[in-house]
Amino acid sequence: MASTATRTRRTLNVWPGYVDALATLLLSVVFLLTVFVVGQFFLSQELTGRDETLAKLNRQISDLTDLLALERTNRRNQEEEARNLRTTLAGVEAERDRAKVQAEAATVSQGAAGTLDKQLEAERGATKRALSQIDLLNEQISAMRRQLAALEDALSASESRDRESQARIAELGSRLNVALAQKVQELARYRSDFFGRLRQILGNRPDIRVVGDRFVLQSEVLFPGGSATLKPEAGPELDRIAGAISDLAKQIPADLPWVLRVDGHTDARPISTSQFPSNWSLSAARAIAVVQYLAGKGIPPQHLLAGAFGEFQPLEAGATEEAYARNRRIEMKLTER
């Protein structure tokens, strides 16, 4: 009896160890969740700060562009005024030369007509007036030259400011391109997550495959032949896709301009019915049907885009039934707006 009681106590004493292990595991999980939440918070703060910086850069570029346009307008006006002053200066100098010629002619006339006092006095008066006019014209020429020098200095300063503005705009444009490239890289990461989730959900099916950066679903999976009405059995497939998109949409930042592009394609055989007068109409109607279904499953409509290519973007050339089947498809692509 004593041996049985001892074994019973030993068995019961094992449970505190299990409880400690479970408590330690639970604390580890709580710690990891806390680290993840803190990381997400700092990441969102960083993205917010970057967007504010991007908006500020855009505003600075706009202000500099307006300032540059104003400087160019002022420089053109100054150049036009300088041309006018040069023209006026040339006219004044020509008039001054004519006055000198008249003064010289008057002086010669004074020597030749020494016996004619009245004519001499008249010529002397004309000479004085001509000399006064020459002095006045010289003063005007000096003033115009000073104005021309001031305009040239202003033009030089304007050109210097223009070069500085161009350099600053180039620097801001470079920073803006870097910020836009970061946005594109961020969207590419979410696109990779989206493809990975769809691969897991849809599995390795021959009628659903990846071509480049797009998911391709054969039209026969979703629509009857020559119709844009979804089959009843297409619902589960689209529901799984909508679920993957909804989960991913919760992780993408609200300021990232992403869209799910749904493109309709047909084979090369023409169609002409009252409902679908061309393959373009059929492919557009099928893309719109898929977009409307996804919107009905909770995908925000502003993140959905329907496109139609008709028969003009085939995956496989040829006139075989296999080629026709591969070209009848719906493509989905996560891209930027």
Side-chain angles (χ1 to χ4, degrees), residues 304-332:
L304 293 172
L305 171 65
F309 289 93
E311 72 272 24
F312 300 107
Q313 294 290 334
L315 287 179
E316 183 173 333
T320 63
E321 288 298 329
E322 292 78 7
Y324 289 151
R326 284 174 57 83
N327 292 333
R328 294 191 300 269
R329 66 197 188 277
I330 293 291
E331 293 183 352
M332 295 185 183

Side-chain angles (χ1 to χ4, degrees), residues 260-325:
L260 179 69
R261 177 170 172 169
V262 180
D263 293 330
H265 298 264
T266 66
D267 58 36
R269 290 177 294 190
I271 185 174
S272 180
T273 65
S274 58
Q275 186 177 6
F276 305 114
S278 67
N279 283 328
W280 250 331
S281 300
L282 177 59
S283 60
R286 286 179 171 177
I288 292 172
V290 173
V291 165
Q292 289 176 339
Y293 186 91
L294 294 176
K297 292 299 179 179
I299 307 301
Q302 65 270 23
H303 292 304
L304 293 172
L305 171 65
F309 289 93
E311 72 272 24
F312 300 107
Q313 294 290 334
L315 287 179
E316 183 173 333
T320 63
E321 288 298 329
E322 292 78 7
Y324 289 151

Side-chain angles (χ1 to χ4, degrees), residues 72-85:
R72 287 175 175 172
T73 302
N74 292 335
R75 186 176 67 182
R76 285 195 296 269
N77 294 335
Q78 291 170 351
E79 289 175 349
E80 182 65 26
E81 186 176 354
R83 284 194 296 269
N84 294 334
L85 284 174

Side-chain angles (χ1 to χ4, degrees), residues 160-301:
S160 177
R161 288 194 299 269
D162 189 7
R163 288 192 295 270
E164 293 176 357
S165 299
Q166 289 283 9
R168 189 171 181 185
I169 287 175
E171 179 185 358
L172 291 175
S174 177
R175 293 169 63 183
L176 179 61
N177 290 334
V178 171
L180 292 176
Q182 291 175 351
K183 288 286 186 181
V184 172
Q185 292 176 358
E186 186 176 357
L187 181 61
R189 177 171 62 84
Y190 287 110
R191 184 188 298 124
S192 178
D193 294 343
F194 172 67
F195 273 17
R197 293 184 185 182
L198 282 185
R199 285 192 183 97
Q200 293 177 357
I201 291 172
L202 300 176
N204 296 323
R205 295 181 46 177
D207 52 358
I208 301 176
R209 62 191 186 279
V210 177
V211 177
D213 58 351
R214 297 158 290 161
F215 260 93
V216 179
L217 293 83
Q218 295 307 129
S219 294
E220 288 75 7
V221 178
L222 304 176
F223 301 99
S227 173
T229 302
L230 289 168
K231 292 180 179 179
E233 55 268 28
E237 302 293 345
L238 293 178
D239 289 344
R240 287 194 287 269
I241 295 174
I245 299 170
S246 297
D247 293 340
L248 185 64
K250 297 175 183 177
Q251 302 178 20
I252 300 178
D255 60 339
L256 194 63
W258 67 275
V259 292
L260 179 69
R261 177 170 172 169
V262 180
D263 293 330
H265 298 264
T266 66
D267 58 36
R269 290 177 294 190
I271 185 174
S272 180
T273 65
S274 58
Q275 186 177 6
F276 305 114
S278 67
N279 283 328
W280 250 331
S281 300
L282 177 59
S283 60
R286 286 179 171 177
I288 292 172
V290 173
V291 165
Q292 289 176 339
Y293 186 91
L294 294 176
K297 292 299 179 179
I299 307 301

Side-chain angles (χ1 to χ4, degrees), residues 6-171:
T6 299
R7 286 196 301 272
T8 303
R9 284 194 300 273
R10 287 177 180 174
T11 302
L12 295 176
N13 287 335
V14 175
W15 286 105
Y18 286 130
V19 172
D20 291 341
L22 291 175
T24 302
L25 179 60
L26 180 60
L27 290 175
S28 299
V29 172
V30 171
F31 176 76
L32 291 175
L33 288 176
T34 303
V35 170
F36 177 75
V37 171
V38 171
Q40 288 293 103
F41 172 76
F42 283 111
L43 179 60
S44 63
Q45 291 293 105
E46 182 67 21
L47 290 175
T48 302
R50 186 177 62 190
D51 293 336
E52 292 175 355
T53 303
L54 183 61
K56 185 177 179 180
L57 287 173
N58 285 327
R59 289 194 298 270
Q60 290 178 350
I61 288 176
S62 178
D63 294 340
L64 284 173
T65 302
D66 295 340
L67 181 59
L68 179 61
L70 181 60
E71 287 292 338
R72 287 175 175 172
T73 302
N74 292 335
R75 186 176 67 182
R76 285 195 296 269
N77 294 335
Q78 291 170 351
E79 289 175 349
E80 182 65 26
E81 186 176 354
R83 284 194 296 269
N84 294 334
L85 284 174
R86 289 191 183 99
T87 302
T88 304
L89 178 62
V92 170
E93 288 177 345
E95 188 174 354
R96 182 194 62 185
D97 294 338
R98 287 194 300 271
K100 283 183 178 180
V101 171
Q102 291 176 358
E104 292 174 354
T107 303
V108 172
S109 299
Q110 289 177 5
T115 58
L116 301 175
D117 293 337
K118 293 182 179 180
Q119 293 182 358
L120 180 60
E121 291 297 329
E123 292 294 337
R124 287 177 179 176
T127 301
K128 290 180 180 179
R129 289 194 297 273
L131 291 174
S132 299
Q133 189 175 7
I134 289 173
D135 292 336
L136 179 61
L137 290 175
N138 286 330
E139 292 177 359
Q140 292 178 353
I141 290 172
S142 299
M144 289 182 180
R145 285 176 175 171
R146 288 193 297 271
Q147 288 181 344
L148 185 59
L151 283 175
E152 289 176 349
D153 293 338
L155 285 175
S156 299
S158 176
E159 290 175 353
S160 177
R161 288 194 299 269
D162 189 7
R163 288 192 295 270
E164 293 176 357
S165 299
Q166 289 283 9
R168 189 171 181 185
I169 287 175
E171 179 185 358

